[in-house]
């Protein structure tokens, strides 16, 4: 009995040390400190925005090379090019179905809860100058047809794809290069090994950068609270609350059912990715965790070729939470300005949003720009009403980024299960915590021990690698 108290203290100290050393714990602490700084020293906190911006830029500089290495290595390891094409087609089919459900959910919730009803806003009294910065970009998106969209996928030069930071352009170059390298056969094996080794170096770089995640989150949260004040968090209005609820319903309801049909739990997936989701929560950008999320999905037992194709494509084609916002905000503006909408108008909004949502990634102020393009293409709703949602766009953007990331991770699991390219036994062990990934640095360095393969622990003998 004399040793009971010291033992409990030692266990508590170990738990405390493990928490503070983990990425999850450090980001959680940074969120709390950022909020306190914003409350106590708002002017100083508002100047910390470069910390968050700098962290996101550091991660973005790795996205192009990481996507290239993962896709090329995945295609070369897939064995046959028909399989690569099959994975791509299944991913696009899934994206379109789920995006349509998300768009419809936004309309339904807007009509059920009527967030804009009773505002009685006169569009002629709104300040159009606030929209000036978004009008030109919106016109470009609206005027761009399918041909323009497809041409935009083609970079001017191979290196131009990487310098522009357009994920779809990088993906196109990666797929073409990977297919060509796969057809070269044995003479190309040294280059495949070189690319695989290069990817390990990139992930080591990512390990250095991710240690700065708490600092980036601290700066982003301190800026937000310092500029808008904690009171603003209470005054965001019914639209913001409804959107957060809509994302929650979509993730737990729609995505939860889809994951259950595949034999997995969306809640366990969220728990597994909790550190990355916290970073997104603090920075309001899913770009900030793209490389490490890809690696964690590989660590979970999903083939590299599936992860490399689905995740980058999903960043432009599978914006679930963004799609909910498009239709919810459009109907909200109609209700706030007392604009009647017939069933034909609603179907028109859905059709236009299904197209315009694909151009969202990589555009500054993308949510407002794409929403402006959607309303401009369907003039029944006054586009000037966008001024109403400008002030709360940052807070809505947090839920958009988190919802989009979860949706893309679920899409990867679904396509992998559809293709039988997921090691189910390993995936369950990882999601249940039987195979601890630890924090990002430890877990992903373990996954990188054997280039091109996911390591199989001794506790699971006989499990095929990379399945």
């Amino acid at each position: 009995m004399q040793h009971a108290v010291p033992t409990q203290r030692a266990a508590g100290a170990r738990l405390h040390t493990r928490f503070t050393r983990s990425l999850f714990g450090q980001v959680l602490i940074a969120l709390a400190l950022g909020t306190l700084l914003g409350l106590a020293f708002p002017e100083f906190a508002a100047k910390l925005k470069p910390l968050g911006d700098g962290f996101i830029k550091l991660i973005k500089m790795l996205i192009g090379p990481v996507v290239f290495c993962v896709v090329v290595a995945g295609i070369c390891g897939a064995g046959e090019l028909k399989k690569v094409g099959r994975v791509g087609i299944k991913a696009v089919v899934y994206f379109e179905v789920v995006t349509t459900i998300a768009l419809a959910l936004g309309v339904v919730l807007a009509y059920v809860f009527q967030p804009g009803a009773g505002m009685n806003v006169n569009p002629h009294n709104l300040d159009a100058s606030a929209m000036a910065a978004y009008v030109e970009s919106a016109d470009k998106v609206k005027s761009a047809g399918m041909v323009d969209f497809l041409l935009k996928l083609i970079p001017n030069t191979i290196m131009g794809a990487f310098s522009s930071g357009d994920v779809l352009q990088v993906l196109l170059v990666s797929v073409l290069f990977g297919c060509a390298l796969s057809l070269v056969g044995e003479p190309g094996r040294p280059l495949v090994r070189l690319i695989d080794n290069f990817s390990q170096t990139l992930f080591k770089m990512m390990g250095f950068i991710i240690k700065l995640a708490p600092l980036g989150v601290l700066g982003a949260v301190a800026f937000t609270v310092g500029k808008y004040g904690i009171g603003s968090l209470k005054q965001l209005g019914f639209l913001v609350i409804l959107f957060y609820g809509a994302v929650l319903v979509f993730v737990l309801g729609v995505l939860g059912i889809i994951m259950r049909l595949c034999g997995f739990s969306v809640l366990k997936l969220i728990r597994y990715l909790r550190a990355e989701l916290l970073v997104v929560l603090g920075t309001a950008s899913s770009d900030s965790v793209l490389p490490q999320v890809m690696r964690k999905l590989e660590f979970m037992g999903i083939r590299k070729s599936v992860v490399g194709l689905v995740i980058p494509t999903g960043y432009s084609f599978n914006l679930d939470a963004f799609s909910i916002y498009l239709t919810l905000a459009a109907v909200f503006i109609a209700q706030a300005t007392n604009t009647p909408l017939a069933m034909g108008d609603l179907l028109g909004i859905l059709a236009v949003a299904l197209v315009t949502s694909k151009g969202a990634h990589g555009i500054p102020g993308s949510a407002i720009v794409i929403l402006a393009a959607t309303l401009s293409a369907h003039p029944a709703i006054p586009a000037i009403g966008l001024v109403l949602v400008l002030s709360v766009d940052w807070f809505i953007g947090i839920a958009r980024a988190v919802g989009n990331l979860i949706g893309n991770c679920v899409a990867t699991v679904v396509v992998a299960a559809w293709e039988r390219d997921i090691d189910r036994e390993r995936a369950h062990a990882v999601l249940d915590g039987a195979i601890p990934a630890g924090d990002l640095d430890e877990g992903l360095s373990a996954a990188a021990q054997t280039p091109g393969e996911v390591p199989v622990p001794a506790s699971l003998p006989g499990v095929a690698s990379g399945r």
Side-chain angles (χ1 to χ4, degrees):
M1 294 295 292
Q2 293 178 350
H3 299 287
V5 174
T7 301
Q8 290 177 355
R9 287 177 179 173
R14 285 196 298 270
L15 184 62
H16 176 267
T17 302
R18 190 185 310 164
F19 176 78
T20 55
R21 287 184 176 178
S22 69
L23 181 68
F24 173 75
Q26 291 172 359
V27 170
L28 203 59
I29 293 170
L31 281 169
L33 288 178
T35 303
L36 291 175
L37 271 177
L39 289 173
F41 309 101
E43 292 185 6
F44 170 74
K47 297 177 181 178
L48 296 180
K49 188 174 184 288
L51 292 178
D53 293 344
F55 170 71
I56 293 175
K57 288 188 70 175
L58 283 171
I59 291 292
K60 280 187 173 183
M61 78 177 184
L62 288 180
I63 289 177
V66 165
V67 168
F68 176 80
C69 291
V70 171
V71 172
V72 171
I75 290 176
C76 293
E80 53 178 306
L81 297 184
K82 287 183 180 179
K83 180 178 180 59
V84 176
R86 194 167 63 241
V87 169
I89 292 173
K90 288 181 177 179
V92 171
V93 169
Y94 172 85
F95 294 160
E96 292 306 308
V97 171
V98 176
T99 299
T100 303
I101 294 173
L103 290 169
L105 178 63
V107 171
V108 171
L109 290 178
Y111 264 87
V112 170
F113 292 97
Q114 301 280 313
M119 293 183 69
N120 300 318
V121 175
N122 185 347
H124 299 290
N125 294 334
L126 295 175
D127 181 12
S129 63
M131 287 299 301
Y134 303 97
V135 172
E136 184 178 351
S137 297
D139 289 339
K140 290 180 180 178
V141 172
K142 182 183 68 173
S143 61
M146 182 58 67
V147 174
D148 291 329
F149 175 76
L150 293 175
L151 288 176
K152 186 184 174 185
L153 299 182
I154 305 173
N156 293 327
T157 64
I158 289 179
M159 299 309 298
F162 296 90
S163 62
S164 69
D166 191 315
V167 176
L168 285 182
Q169 289 186 356
V170 173
L171 185 62
L172 176 64
V173 172
S174 305
V175 170
L176 291 175
F177 189 90
C179 292
L181 190 57
S182 179
L183 291 175
V184 168
E186 189 59 33
R189 298 310 299 172
L191 184 53
V192 174
R193 287 192 292 270
L194 178 63
I195 291 173
D196 214 355
N197 291 333
F198 180 52
S199 73
Q200 308 310 317
T201 306
L202 289 174
F203 280 110
K204 285 295 183 183
M205 288 176 62
M206 185 185 71
F208 300 149
I209 295 173
I210 202 62
K211 293 181 182 295
L212 300 175
L215 197 60
V217 170
L218 172 66
V221 173
F223 163 76
T224 304
V225 177
K227 181 176 181 180
Y228 298 103
I230 197 68
S232 64
L233 299 177
K234 300 177 183 178
Q235 299 169 4
L236 295 177
F238 190 33
L239 175 65
V240 178
I241 297 173
L242 181 59
F243 178 69
Y244 273 71
V247 172
L248 190 64
V249 168
F250 185 83
V251 169
L252 298 182
V254 178
L255 298 184
I257 292 173
I258 291 173
M259 282 287 284
R260 184 57 61 189
L261 291 174
C262 293
F264 298 98
S265 167
V266 72
L267 290 177
K268 290 181 179 179
L269 181 66
I270 291 172
R271 183 180 63 186
Y272 175 57
L273 298 171
R274 62 186 181 276
E276 289 70 37
L277 292 174
L278 267 181
V279 173
V280 174
L281 189 68
T283 60
S285 170
S286 55
D287 282 346
S288 59
V289 295
L290 185 147
Q292 56 266 40
V293 162
M294 292 174 69
R295 204 57 165 164
K296 287 192 84 168
L297 290 172
E298 289 177 40
F299 183 79
M300 195 178 121
I302 300 176
R303 270 198 188 277
K304 183 180 290 188
S305 56
V306 175
V307 174
L309 285 173
V310 177
I311 288 290
T313 309
Y315 262 58
S316 285
F317 284 87
N318 188 43
L319 304 170
D320 297 335
F322 185 89
S323 299
I324 295 173
Y325 173 72
L326 275 184
T327 49
L328 179 62
V331 178
F332 165 79
I333 292 170
Q335 292 171 349
T337 56
N338 296 318
T339 303
L341 292 178
M343 181 58 69
D345 295 323
L346 291 177
L347 293 177
I349 292 171
L350 283 172
V352 172
L354 195 60
V355 176
T356 55
S357 63
K358 301 299 183 285
H361 185 72
I363 298 176
S366 60
I368 299 298
V369 171
I370 300 301
L371 184 55
T374 303
L375 296 184
S376 299
H378 194 79
I381 303 173
I384 188 62
L386 289 169
V387 174
L388 299 173
V389 298
L390 270 177
S391 61
V392 297
D393 186 66
W394 169 268
F395 300 98
I396 288 178
I398 295 173
R400 277 199 308 260
V402 171
N404 289 340
L405 178 62
I406 296 174
N408 280 323
C409 292
V410 170
T412 307
V413 174
V414 171
V415 175
W418 198 351
E419 274 291 297
R420 298 182 181 178
D421 274 342
I422 182 171
D423 182 340
R424 288 182 172 273
E425 190 173 354
R426 178 178 177 81
H428 282 297
V430 170
L431 294 180
D432 291 338
I435 303 177
D439 65 20
L440 195 64
D441 218 8
E442 296 174 2
L444 298 184
S445 62
Q449 288 173 355
T450 305
E453 294 183 356
V454 177
V456 180
S459 58
L460 289 175
V463 180
S465 295
R467 293 292 297 173

